[in-house]
Every structure is written in C-alpha cells, then in structure tokens.
Amino acid sequence: MAWRGVRGFDERLFIDMVDYDFDARLIISGFKIWQSNLVIMEHAIGTVLHRPILERLLLLPETGLLSDHPAFRQYYIYRNTIIFYKRYPNLKKKKLLIPRSFFATRRMLVYQDSITKLKYSWKGIIDGIRYDPKKDLEFLDTLRRIEGKNEASD
C-alpha cells in the first residue's frame, strides 16, 4: 500500500538519495517511518580511504568518511542531494547548500582520478542547480496524487 501510494522509488534519481526521496513522500503521505536496529544489511560504500595528512590539509572533518566512488557516482551524489533539498524545502532545510556542495568537493582531491571526479561532481552540482521541481511534471503529478489522498482522508 505505501509503496504504490507514493509510486515507489523515483528511478530518475538512479542511485543516490532515492531512499531519502521515498521517505519524504511517505512522510508527506502521513506514513510513519520506523527504525529497527535488529535488522542488518550489508551495504557497499565504495573504497574507504584514510589519508590523515591530506584530510587535515583539506580541512576535512575528522568524523567524515572518505569513500572513493567512481566519477559517475560522484555526479549523482551531488546532483541528487540538491534535487532532494529543492523538492522538499519544508521537510529539510540546508543553509548555503550550493556553496557547501562546491566546498565539499574538495574531498575529490584525496581520491584516485581526482580531476575527473571533481569535474563530474561539479557537473552534478550544476545540473542540480538547473533542476526546477516546478517543471518536473512527473514529480508534481506524484505530489498531487499524494496530497489529494491526504485531503480525502482528513
């Protein structure tokens, strides 16, 4: 019921933030999200790196995880994060999202093939900036459907 009600994952997001987007639509639909610490799932996060000197030079947070993903994945990480925050400004707000995103790409300098990954990250940011949820007809149709069901149940 919940899956169909919010139309499942938005596959145009492809690989990153699809779960956040799905959760946001569930919340808007009035569903509750529960977390169980008893369920364990293996999840690959790329190649984890630890380069303490570079991390300090680049002012990376000590608690941060450096996970080296392929360049195409870096594109989707940055693009989809911006799309998510543009789609759901009332659920989650992030101050200075675009400047913070560009600043965050400094971590690419720690990874292999860093220049390519930096270019893909910046392209993802630019495409995220270009995204306009008001022109995304599929997304708007899904929201109307969700909000219509909420009004009918009120």
Side-chain angles (χ1 to χ4, degrees):
M1 181 176 147
W3 178 264
R4 282 194 201 109
V6 299
R7 295 186 171 174
F9 289 136
D10 181 345
E11 297 199 12
R12 295 170 301 152
L13 297 179
F14 177 59
I15 194 167
D16 280 285
M17 300 299 284
V18 291
D19 48 348
Y20 285 75
D21 185 73
F22 178 71
D23 289 352
R25 286 183 278 121
L26 287 172
I27 291 166
I28 289 169
S29 294
F31 287 97
K32 300 227 183 296
I33 298 173
W34 294 78
Q35 176 178 321
S36 171
N37 294 330
L38 302 175
V39 177
I40 298 172
M41 180 181 107
E42 292 283 329
H43 182 66
I45 56 170
T47 304
V48 177
L49 303 175
H50 185 64
R51 304 226 167 100
I53 295 171
L54 271 175
E55 290 170 33
R56 274 190 233 113
L57 286 172
L58 294 171
L59 305 174
L60 296 173
E62 289 182 29
T63 57
L65 181 66
L66 291 174
S67 187
D68 192 0
H69 297 289
F72 83 92
R73 178 88 188 268
Q74 298 295 349
Y75 168 83
Y76 286 106
I77 289 170
Y78 286 95
R79 185 198 75 162
N80 293 355
T81 299
I82 293 169
I83 287 174
F84 174 80
Y85 284 102
K86 286 178 133 184
R87 281 183 172 182
Y88 308 104
N90 296 331
L91 288 181
K92 291 247 186 195
K93 294 191 185 216
K94 200 160 203 173
K95 293 181 180 180
L96 304 170
L97 177 61
I98 305 306
R100 286 175 63 166
S101 295
F102 276 111
F103 187 63
T105 63
R106 71 194 185 284
R107 67 183 42 238
M108 298 309 128
L109 300 174
V110 176
Y111 303 151
Q112 290 184 358
D113 200 15
S114 59
I115 299 304
T116 300
K117 290 176 182 174
L118 196 58
K119 287 178 187 176
Y120 273 73
S121 299
W122 288 352
K123 180 168 178 13
I125 292 169
I126 291 165
D127 287 350
I129 291 168
R130 289 182 178 148
Y131 173 80
D132 183 352
K134 293 177 183 139
K135 293 181 180 176
D136 184 343
L137 299 180
E138 189 174 325
F139 172 68
L140 290 173
D141 184 53
T142 299
L143 273 188
R144 274 192 288 275
R145 182 176 167 185
I146 291 169
E147 290 167 350
K149 284 183 179 180
N150 283 349
E151 289 170 7
S153 65
D154 287 345

